[in-house]
Amino acid sequence: MMCSNNISNYKLLEILKNGKIGTVYKAEYLNNKCLAVKKVSVDQPMEKLKILFNEVLTVRRLQHRNINTIVSCFLYKQYVYLTYNFMCFGNCEMLLKNVYTSGFPEVTIALILKDVLSALTYIHSEHYVHGSVRAKHILLSPRKAVLSNFRYCQSFISQGEKKPFIFGSTVGIEKELYWTAPEVLYQNLSGYTEKIDIYSIGITCCEMANGFQPFKDTELTYMYIEKVRGSLQVLLDKNSLLENQGSLEHTNKRIVRDVIVNKSFSEDFHQFVELCLNKNPLSRWAASKLMTHSFLKQCRNTSLLDQLKDLGKKMSNFKINEQTNNSI
């Protein structure tokens, strides 16, 4: 879909997000189509604008149904405007906070991951690493999940040649490190590959299944030590509780035992997460191979449309309650 580069053709309806370098609005276009519009002031440090510029260039090169593609990009006065297709259910982190507070159902996670892995398979085939897979960067609509935020995306191609490894700094991205693979944290001369995205998929599985961010409320140092030791994050259900002899140590304090003992994830799901979180990147399955895993077989007889059919109503109820609380 082609969109106008004239800001007067867009009606900004409401703020969806106030980000570090800009504000995202829900907007209405001329033909009454809903879009997401990101408004960024050019009056910012050059380093931030450079990150935005690189993200735009990267997303423009990548075209896939499960990537949050930029529809149009234009400059008006002192602002850069980026337009995206509107994903009506927002991101998975927001849904975990407000709707699925104890975690998504397993089949819904499988359907979401099927789309995300499809995006990663394509991204990796184009010799890129996403570098920031997490629930916050997965957007949902009734028909698909898309991967967003390519701010930390890197290419293996440099000066016309493909490098075997990628190197990058962890400075300034401390909040992303909870989803990051151990080999990124090492910061050594060995570098890392696209397998860091697979590790992040494993962490994201735990996040979406358990209902909270792994290592939440822990110090970065503790998280670093646990990952270097090879300690696995796990799906919290009655089986993992029994295996850990009833201990809830290192889990989020919001999760009570009664919630966990009433959960039961499939053996396929547990195995899928273990494959993703293998400390050795060479032993992690590629995104394309993970798409053949038996965990995703449950996607065959259902769809996101089926699983999320009541989500709109739940989100409306949440907004009503939020508005009521804010008025008190």
Side-chain angles (χ1 to χ4, degrees), residues 124 128-129 156 162 166 192-199 286:
H124 296 168
Y128 281 94
V129 174
F156 283 98
K162 184 184 176 185
I166 287 178
Y192 48 87
T193 68
E194 74 282 353
K195 291 296 186 68
I196 67 169
D197 286 339
I198 304 306
Y199 188 94

Side-chain angles (χ1 to χ4, degrees), residues 82-97:
L82 304 169
T83 68
Y84 302 84
N85 289 315
F86 180 65
M87 304 295 287
C88 62
F89 293 147
N91 70 66
C92 289
E93 182 183 80
M94 179 273 293
L95 291 173
L96 286 171
K97 288 180 180 178

Side-chain angles (χ1 to χ4, degrees), residues 157-260:
I157 307 298
S158 177
Q159 298 179 338
E161 294 184 359
K162 184 184 176 185
K163 301 174 291 184
F165 302 102
I166 287 178
F167 302 90
S169 172
T170 59
V171 176
I173 62 167
E174 285 78 9
K175 290 184 179 180
E176 303 294 327
L177 297 183
Y178 293 97
W179 289 264
T180 300
E183 58 267 30
V184 178
L185 301 176
Y186 292 153
Q187 290 289 287
N188 58 27
L189 297 177
S190 297
Y192 48 87
T193 68
E194 74 282 353
K195 291 296 186 68
I196 67 169
D197 286 339
I198 304 306
Y199 188 94
S200 297
I201 284 287
I203 294 290
T204 303
C205 283
C206 295
E207 179 184 14
M208 293 199 298
N210 298 337
F212 62 91
Q213 167 194 323
F215 300 108
K216 187 174 175 62
D217 300 327
T218 62
E219 295 292 332
L220 275 172
T221 306
Y222 171 80
M223 177 274 296
Y224 178 89
I225 292 171
E226 287 296 293
K227 286 188 177 181
V228 170
R229 286 173 51 196
S231 298
L232 283 179
Q233 286 291 304
V234 296
L235 302 174
L236 296 175
D237 64 1
K238 59 185 180 183
N239 295 320
S240 58
L241 190 64
L242 288 171
E243 289 175 8
N244 288 287
Q245 299 178 337
S247 173
L248 295 178
E249 188 181 3
H250 309 323
T251 64
N252 189 287
K253 298 296 187 293
R254 294 189 300 108
I255 302 298
V256 294
R257 187 185 303 269
D258 290 344
V259 174
I260 297 173

Side-chain angles (χ1 to χ4, degrees), residues 113-131:
L113 288 180
K114 181 171 175 281
D115 282 354
V116 173
L117 286 171
S118 180
L120 284 179
T121 298
Y122 168 73
I123 291 167
H124 296 168
S125 73
E126 293 293 312
H127 312 300
Y128 281 94
V129 174
H130 183 273

